[in-house]
């Protein structure tokens, strides 16, 4: 209860440093909506992508865990309602310079490689977003290479065709 009262007073007095209300013109909402889209584009958002998404938002926007969760929830809703990426990229183009837009593309690659590999849906989506942001093909590829170089190793996949590890050792 005390925290709620403290947040209310901070909002009313204008001293709320985290700007906990994220409106459609907030570049952070636009950026996170695109990040959420990349995390979900392959049909699933795994634990590594969820963790990396929270870490990126905290690092890049300086938000606490509560504001991060609020921003992600708002971004997920915005992404579901959006018919295209222009809604978000237009906000980012107005708010950010070329370097800032490149940082957004780098964050997109960071989410795509959170599980160690960027799939074709993620690659294609980032290509389209980068085009809308005015990030050149050259810069997009360089950003991808930079992120891929520091990405974790992909998790080994085990399907029904794979022999158990113990059987491989005996062979």
């Amino acid at each position: 209860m005390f925290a709620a009262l403290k947040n209310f007073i901070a909002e009313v007095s204008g001293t709320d440093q985290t700007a906990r209300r994220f409106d459609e013109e907030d570049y952070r909402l636009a950026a996170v909506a695109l990040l959420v889209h990349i995390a979900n584009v392959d049909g699933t958002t795994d634990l590594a992508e969820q963790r990396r998404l929270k870490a990126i938002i905290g690092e890049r926007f300086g938000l606490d865990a509560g504001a991060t969760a609020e921003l992600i929830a708002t971004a997920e809703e915005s992404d579901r309602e959006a018919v295209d990426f222009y809604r978000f990229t237009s906000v980012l183009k107005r708010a950010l310079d070329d370097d800032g837009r490149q940082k957004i593309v780098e964050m997109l690659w960071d989410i795509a490689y959170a599980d160690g590999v960027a799939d074709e849906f993620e690659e294609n989506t980032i290509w389209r977003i980068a085009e809308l942001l005015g990030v050149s093909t050259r810069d997009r590829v360089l950003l991808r290479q930079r992120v891929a170089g520091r990405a974790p190793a992909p998790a080994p996949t085990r399907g029904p065709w794979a022999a158990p590890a113990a059987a491989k050792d005996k062979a």
Side-chain angles (χ1 to χ4, degrees), residues 114-155:
D115 58 0
V117 63
D119 71 27
E120 64 187 59
F121 296 116
E122 293 165 330
E123 291 175 10
N124 183 271
T125 304
I126 294 171
W127 166 72
R128 291 185 299 156
I129 293 168
E131 289 285 317
L132 289 168
L133 289 174
V135 174
S136 72
T137 300
R138 177 185 176 279
D139 289 336
R140 177 178 47 86
V141 170
L142 289 173
L143 291 166
R144 177 187 180 177
Q145 291 170 345
R146 180 185 317 161
V147 172
R150 64 178 186 247

Side-chain angles (χ1 to χ4, degrees), residues 20-96:
R20 293 183 59 93
R21 300 207 189 274
F22 305 102
D23 66 25
E24 290 184 18
E25 291 301 311
D26 190 331
Y27 81 95
R28 298 172 301 176
L29 176 59
V32 175
L34 293 173
L35 292 171
V36 164
H37 190 87
I38 292 298
N40 294 325
V41 77
D42 59 1
T44 60
T45 305
D46 64 25
L47 188 57
E49 289 170 326
Q50 292 173 14
R51 286 180 178 158
R52 190 64 194 133
L53 180 64
K54 290 175 185 175
I56 287 173
I57 294 167
E59 292 166 9
R60 300 289 177 132
F61 302 128
L63 299 175
D64 63 22
T68 296
E70 180 182 343
L71 180 53
I72 291 171
T74 305
E76 287 172 337
E77 183 178 336
S78 290
D79 182 47
R80 278 191 302 274
E81 294 172 356
V83 295
D84 61 17
F85 299 128
Y86 182 77
R87 173 180 177 181
F88 307 120
T89 58
S90 62
V91 169
L92 293 169
K93 283 185 79 168
R94 283 192 303 271
L96 302 173

